[in-house]
């Protein structure tokens, strides 16, 4: 009964946001509460909701200060040279612009943090997309697709969870799937090329004065905010922050808070300017962070009612015995919907050990199951439970449901490509 209730809740939620009947934030709050009441959990909802909110609080605070940190750097003109260089290289060709977007997003995703990837990629490319008339949703889709592939990096989160849950080493889990990541990255470039051709067919190649455009394509129009004399300092601060994130010197939320404090103090030492800069990003920050806490209510009820466990067990129970020898591939395929409908923690700490035990019955090494479980990440990032994706759609001014409707099939494509690479190269057996 719980499994049926959980699946119905997910289906209703997806229908409501993909048809535009409710905004994602309202649906994240209303739908789980409604189904919790239907399931007889009305008196227990409060603690569940609070637990969910507490679980996403660090992420919400990190995103808040990441928005403020990169907002300060954008205002200071840090990304203007990048935009100028891109304009000179890609000129007005949508195909080159789309591929350039993918290359930049793949490169920046090396830090393993989707928030950083989106902040930098969107800041660099959105003015260019708007200038020549390309759809911002294409920019968002390429960025999330690139991040989905690169999220397999050990410091990205999922791989670390696999190693912890199954007590494995990085050499057993991550190193073997590097070829699959390369295959996924090539697929992302192909996707960018495809959308670039569509945009070129729609708007053509835009001819204009590239030098003049490069000078005027800044991410903010207010020249008085720019700090060209501090550009070396700002680049250094950004690099130090990214290195600290990768090395995990401090928790991400603490690093972004510290980075923001340094950036705003050095670039805008006057209190009046500091208040103005914070106020400038208040709307964007509020909309994104409120979405994160709404997602906390959804995950809190989903986990607190044990719907997640019931859904996982029901799916595993109905896997035919004939599929036992193919259990690694089954796990890879299941990882896409599982990580779409539940948090990474719920899947990797709750479901993966069950899958590993089931695979062991058929003689499948847990390391192979662990590798396979990572391949659903491109689909996972389009889940309504991923906070950073709300930041992405907020930055480009698009609707979450539209992003899912256009790019969910491409995300599954990335997963399928990585599975094929793994099977062909023997990373796990067919």
């Amino acid at each position: 009964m719980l499994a049926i209730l959980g699946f119905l809740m997910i289906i209703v939620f997806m229908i409501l946001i993909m048809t535009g009947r409710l905004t994602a934030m309202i649906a994240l709050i209303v739908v789980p509460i409604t189904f919790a009441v239907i399931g007889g959990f009305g008196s227990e909802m409060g603690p569940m909701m609070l637990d969910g909110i507490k679980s996403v609080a660090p992420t919400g605070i990190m995103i808040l200060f990441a928005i403020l940190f990169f907002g300060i750097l954008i205002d200071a003109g840090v990304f203007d040279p990048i935009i100028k260089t891109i304009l000179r290289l890609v000129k007005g060709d949508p195909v080159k612009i789309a591929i350039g977007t993918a290359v930049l997003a793949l490169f920046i995703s090396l830090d393993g943090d989707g928030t950083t990837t989106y902040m930098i990629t969107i800041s660099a490319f959105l003015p260019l997309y708007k200038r020549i008339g390309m759809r911002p949703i294409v920019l968002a889709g390429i960025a999330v697709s690139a991040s989905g592939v690169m999220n397999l990096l050990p410091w990205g989160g999922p791989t670390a969870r696999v190693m912890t849950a199954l007590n494995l080493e990085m050499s057993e889990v991550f190193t073997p799937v590097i070829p699959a990541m390369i295959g996924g990255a090539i697929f992302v470039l192909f996707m960018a090329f495809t959308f670039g051709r569509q945009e070129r067919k729609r708007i053509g190649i835009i001819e204009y004065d590239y030098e003049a455009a490069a000078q005027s394509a800044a991410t903010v129009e207010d020249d008085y905010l720019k700090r060209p004399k501090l550009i070396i300092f700002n680049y250094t601060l950004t690099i130090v922050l990214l290195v600290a994130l990768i090395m995990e010197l401090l928790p991400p939320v603490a690093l972004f808070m510290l980075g923001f404090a340094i950036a705003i103090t050095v670039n805008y030492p006057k209190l009046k300017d500091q208040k103005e800069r914070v106020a400038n990003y208040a709307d964007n920050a509020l909309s994104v962070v409120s979405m994160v806490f709404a997602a906390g209510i959804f995950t809190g009820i989903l986990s607190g009612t044990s719907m997640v466990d019931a859904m996982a067990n029901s799916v595993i129970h109905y896997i035919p015995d004939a599929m036992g020898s193919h259990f690694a591939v089954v796990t890879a395929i299941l990882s896409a919907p599982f990580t779409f409908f539940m948090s990474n923690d719920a899947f990797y700490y709750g479901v993966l050990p069950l899958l590993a035990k089931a695979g062991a019955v058929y003689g499948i090494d847990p390391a192979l199951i662990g590798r396979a479980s990572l391949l659903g990440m491109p689909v996972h990032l389009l889940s309504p439970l991923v906070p950073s994706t709300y930041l992405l759609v907020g930055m480009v001014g698009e609707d979450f449901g539209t992003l899912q409707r256009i790019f969910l099939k491409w995300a599954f494509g990335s997963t399928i490509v990585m599975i094929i690479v793994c099977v062909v190269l023997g990373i796990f057996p067919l």
Side-chain angles (χ1 to χ4, degrees), residues 54-69 113 115-116 241 244-246 248-262 289 293:
K54 289 176 184 176
S55 70
V56 300
T59 301
I61 297 169
M62 182 195 72
I63 289 178
L64 169 63
F65 282 95
I67 291 172
L68 294 174
F69 173 75
D113 179 51
T115 301
T116 305
L241 177 62
L245 285 167
I246 293 171
E248 299 181 350
L249 297 181
L250 288 173
V253 61
L255 288 172
F256 274 113
M257 291 176 77
L258 180 59
F260 163 69
I262 294 172
V289 174
F293 287 111

